Amino acid sequence: MHSVGFAFDLQVKLILLGVKRFLLPAVVTLAILLSFMWPMSLSAHAVMVKSSPEKDSTISQSPKKIDIWFNEKVRGAHKSLAVTDSTGKRVDNKDVKQELLDQSHIFTSIPDLPPDTYTVRYRVMSADTHVISGKFSFTIQKPQVKE
């Protein structure tokens, strides 16, 4: 009778050992697969998707304001938007605002600017609290003289 109990215990131990050998690799594999399937948007940062004037554009007259749109809402705190001319002098009105109904949109007003190449620098905080910064340029062309 004693040997039957021993054989049963041995079978249970072997089954548990097999489960442990199978379970650990299965759990690791599942964790790896889930990490690849996790939605990228949950870990993504805000990215500029549109601007006015457009990035690297050449325009014929000064815009009234600089607009930037991101792929997601950005937080109202810690935002900045600055426009500098080709000498590095800041030329915007230092009044960066965020659109109330579209929180992916920030803008600043600018005075009437002369022909030059301007650099727009921005900094915002993504919804995931990462601070994102970037820059782009646009050029205001000298008016064409008609003869």
Side-chain angles (χ1 to χ4, degrees), residues 99-123:
E99 183 68 41
L100 294 175
L101 299 177
D102 178 6
Q103 293 181 352
S104 69
H105 176 207
I106 63 171
F107 59 94
T108 189
S109 64
I110 54 175
D112 195 30
L113 299 173
D116 198 354
T117 297
Y118 296 91
T119 301
V120 178
R121 297 178 193 278
Y122 60 87
R123 190 183 93 194

Side-chain angles (χ1 to χ4, degrees), residues 51-118:
S51 67
S52 179
E54 291 182 14
K55 177 181 177 182
D56 300 324
S57 64
T58 299
I59 56 178
S60 59
Q61 56 183 285
S62 176
K64 301 292 182 206
K65 65 180 183 167
I66 305 296
D67 295 277
I68 300 177
W69 288 268
F70 298 91
N71 64 329
E72 64 181 38
K73 292 179 183 179
V74 293
R75 294 181 176 222
H78 310 294
K79 67 183 174 295
S80 66
L81 183 56
V83 183
T84 55
D85 64 15
S86 60
T87 67
K89 178 184 172 198
R90 188 166 179 179
V91 296
D92 63 277
N93 291 325
K94 300 178 183 176
D95 62 349
V96 63
K97 292 185 175 78
Q98 186 170 15
E99 183 68 41
L100 294 175
L101 299 177
D102 178 6
Q103 293 181 352
S104 69
H105 176 207
I106 63 171
F107 59 94
T108 189
S109 64
I110 54 175
D112 195 30
L113 299 173
D116 198 354
T117 297
Y118 296 91

